Each structure stands twice: as C-alpha cells, then as structure tokens.
C-alpha cells in the first residue's frame, strides 16, 4: 500500500465566495491530481464526467469506480431490505462482492464502492472489507437518525449544496417510500446565501412531499443583486405543484412543523449549521409530557 492515494468523488461548482467559476475549481483539482506521485494512486468516480477529464493528466495509477460499464470497480446492483442496503460490487478481476451496509442512497453507495477499491489497494482481505461495511454506522449529520416520536421520524443532515440536497432527499425517500417526506432546508452556507444556485435549488426537491425554507440570515454582507431568495424558491416549487412554505427565520419553523406534520412523516433537516438546535427542539416538542401520559 502506498500512502499517496487520492479519492475523487465529484467536481462541481461550489464555494461561490472563493471561486468565480467552475473552471477555477477544475484548475485547482488538476493541480491536486498533479501532486500525486507516479507510485501513488487515484481512485476516481467514472460516473462524473469532469472527474474523468481531470484524471487524464495523472502521472500515477488511476483506478475508477462507479455504475458505468467501464468502471474498474462497478456497482452493479442495489437492493434495500429491512433498513439495509445490499450492494453487489464487481472487482477488476471479475469477482463479485455482496456487501450489506446500513447506509442508503446513490451517493453513499458510490462512496462505498470507492472505499472497497481503497481497501483492495491497502491489501485488506475481502472478509475485512465486508465486516467493516456491515459494522459501519454512518457519520454524524449525514442522514443521522435523531429519534422518532408520535410516529414522526427525525433526520439531520449537513446537505447544503443543491446536488447534495437533491441526492439526500432522494435517498431518504427511497429508504422510506411509504412515508411522507418533509424537507426542511436552511440556506446558510456562503454559496447557498447567494443566488448563484437559485435556479438549481428549484430542481433539488422533486422527491420531497412538503418543503419548508427560512430566509437566509446575515445577508447584509452580500450585495443585494447577489442574494438568494427563499421566497422565490418557494414560489418556483409551488409552480411545480409542491406544497412549500417560506418563513422569516428558523425560529418560525418550529410552530409550523408542529402544525403541519403528522404520524408516519419523515422530517429531514438540512443545513451546514445547527438551525439554532431546531432538529433537537422539534423532536423534544414531540415527546409526551407528563400530563400527556396520565
């Protein structure tokens, strides 16, 4: 195993406060690829076209992964059963690994495939890789289950980029297809508070059944012509036939959630902040009080 190993999962425009364009980001990734020495490895997502373009200049061994037919490590089949994802991953040698993991969603299983490729580079046995996947319980604030009360499941996630919001919502809906999905999104990051992704966010909530979005905070540091508008996003979602609400701030979300949610709902909170503790406060508000139990 050589320590100089880089995994490239995706490349897209983000951090609008730092980079002016996607081209600037790509240029920096090209520099990163050039830093991996000839004896090193790059594990690259073959399903991402920009990644595929960037790795062409690599001086080291490149190993690809993904769902496409020409990936070295290929994610061939995924099945969800009893809260687990059952994935079949084919190695470059043609053998197939059947892996069980508690994570769900296309992006998580793509990442799993990358880590399986990394494990092989490190010389880990197939048994070790399978055991690691089966015992892995996820990462905090990535589809993190906070709890369930009154039949309402509460999840917390760090998603804030429009692609991450879309993939996270889709993954949760896939995991709980029979339950109504309430998506609560806070535009809080330096990019999401700018209108650079205004149109893209309107395509991120397709799998949600009910959407709630507060207006961004700390907009005074952003030029008025560059500010993101939650109200405009909600109007765009309503034109798509989506039930959506815009509120002045995260504090106004709590009473709205308590009013609109019902048993069998899944409430997914998404923000790169803590929403002033709203996910936990919402769950606590659902808990039966002493007077309720008499």
């Amino acid at each position: 195993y050589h320590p100089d190993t880089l995994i490239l999962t995706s490349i897209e425009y983000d951090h609008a406060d730092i980079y002016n364009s996607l081209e600037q980001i790509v240029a920096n990734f090209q520099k990163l690829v050039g830093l991996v020495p000839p004896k090193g490895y790059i594990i690259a997502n073959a399903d991402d076209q920009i990644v595929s373009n960037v790795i062409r200049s690599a001086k080291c061994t490149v190993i690809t992964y993904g769902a496409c037919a020409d990936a070295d490590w290929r994610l061939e089949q995924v099945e969800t059963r009893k809260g687990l994802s059952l994935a079949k991953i084919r190695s470059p040698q043609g053998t197939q690994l059947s892996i069980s993991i508690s994570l769900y969603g296309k992006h998580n299983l793509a990442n799993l495939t990358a880590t399986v490729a990394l494990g092989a580079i490190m010389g880990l046995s197939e048994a070790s890789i399978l055991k690691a996947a089966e015992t892995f319980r996820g990462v905090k604030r990535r589809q993190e289950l906070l709890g369930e009360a009154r039949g309402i499941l509460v999840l917390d996630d760090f998603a804030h980029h429009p692609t991450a919001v879309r993939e996270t919502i889709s993954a949760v809906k896939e995991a709980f297809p029979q339950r109504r999905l309430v998506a609560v999104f806070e535009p809080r990051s330096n990019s999401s508070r700018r209108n650079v992704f205004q149109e893209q966010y309107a395509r991120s909530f397709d799998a949600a059944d009910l959407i709630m979005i507060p207006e961004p905070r700390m907009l005074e540091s952003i030029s008025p012509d560059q500010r993101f508008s939650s109200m405009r996003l909600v109007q765009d979602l309503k034109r798509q036939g989506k039930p959506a609400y815009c509120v002045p701030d995260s504090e106004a979300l709590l009473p709205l959630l308590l009013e609109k949610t019902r048993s069998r709902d899944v409430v997914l909170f998404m923000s790169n902040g803590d929403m002033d503790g709203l996910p936990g406060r919402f769950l606590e508000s659902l808990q039966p009080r002493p007077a309720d139990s008499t």
Side-chain angles (χ1 to χ4, degrees):
Y1 164 63
H2 196 283
D4 294 308
T5 302
L6 169 67
I7 297 179
L8 288 180
T9 60
S10 63
I11 300 174
E12 57 185 327
Y13 185 55
D14 198 0
H15 303 291
D17 56 320
I18 301 173
Y19 300 103
N20 295 323
S21 65
L22 174 62
E23 287 71 25
Q24 281 190 345
I25 291 177
V26 169
N28 278 276
F29 271 99
Q30 286 174 327
K31 292 178 182 178
L32 175 62
V33 165
L35 293 175
V36 183
K39 291 184 179 180
Y41 295 89
I42 293 177
I43 301 172
N45 184 1
D47 296 332
D48 188 296
Q49 187 57 56
I50 300 178
V51 169
S52 297
N53 292 339
V54 165
I55 59 174
R56 291 173 182 169
S57 61
K59 298 173 290 186
C60 62
T61 299
V62 175
I63 298 170
T64 60
Y65 71 94
C68 61
D70 57 350
D72 296 322
W73 288 88
R74 191 162 73 249
L75 180 62
E76 293 189 324
Q77 185 179 339
V78 178
E79 180 184 350
T80 304
R81 187 188 305 164
K82 295 181 179 180
L84 296 174
S85 292
L86 308 178
K88 294 187 183 300
I89 299 174
R90 188 168 297 278
S91 74
Q93 294 73 35
T95 58
Q96 192 179 67
L97 285 73
S98 296
I99 301 181
S100 173
I101 193 167
S102 61
L103 303 182
Y104 49 87
K106 182 174 64 175
H107 60 304
N108 280 323
L109 294 171
N111 290 342
L112 170 64
T113 308
T115 57
V116 169
L118 176 61
I121 291 174
M122 296 173 65
L124 298 179
S125 67
E126 181 178 319
S128 296
I129 292 172
L130 295 178
K131 182 178 180 181
E134 290 171 359
T135 56
F136 183 62
R137 292 295 172 258
V139 178
K140 188 172 179 63
R141 300 214 61 212
R142 291 297 186 185
Q143 299 168 12
E144 180 185 3
L145 173 60
L146 297 185
E148 184 169 6
R150 298 187 186 180
I152 299 174
L153 198 67
V154 181
L155 303 176
D156 188 23
D157 199 277
F158 196 75
H160 53 280
H161 186 278
T163 301
V165 170
R166 184 188 70 240
E167 294 299 329
T168 301
I169 291 175
S170 297
V172 172
K173 189 63 176 180
E174 182 180 319
F176 304 98
Q178 303 304 319
R179 303 179 74 160
R180 189 175 71 149
L181 175 54
V182 181
V184 184
F185 168 61
E186 180 187 38
R188 183 183 178 278
S189 70
N190 286 326
S191 293
S192 64
R193 290 183 298 120
R194 290 171 165 80
N195 58 17
V196 62
F197 294 131
Q198 184 79 54
E199 302 297 335
Q200 196 170 341
Y201 276 118
R203 301 187 294 273
S204 295
F205 295 85
D206 291 351
D209 300 298
L210 176 63
I211 303 146
M212 300 182 185
I213 306 171
E215 285 289 0
R217 293 184 290 182
M218 302 176 291
L219 285 178
E220 59 276 1
S221 62
I222 300 174
S223 173
D225 63 321
Q226 296 180 359
R227 293 175 183 175
F228 177 82
S229 170
S230 293
M231 179 58 72
R232 180 182 164 189
L233 172 57
V234 164
Q235 290 171 345
D236 289 341
L237 293 170
K238 286 182 175 179
R239 277 191 285 270
Q240 299 172 25
K242 289 287 185 183
Y245 295 87
C246 176
V247 295
D249 50 44
S250 59
E251 193 63 34
L253 283 169
L254 182 57
L256 183 63
L257 278 165
L258 292 173
E259 175 191 352
K260 298 296 182 182
T261 53
R262 57 179 186 254
S263 180
R264 296 285 299 163
D265 281 353
V266 176
V267 180
L268 169 64
F269 291 93
M270 293 171 290
S271 172
N272 73 329
D274 67 352
M275 288 191 180
D276 300 317
L278 178 63
R281 289 191 291 123
F282 171 64
L283 181 60
E284 184 179 354
S285 297
L286 296 175
Q287 303 289 346
R289 296 182 174 87
D292 296 336
S293 58
T294 58

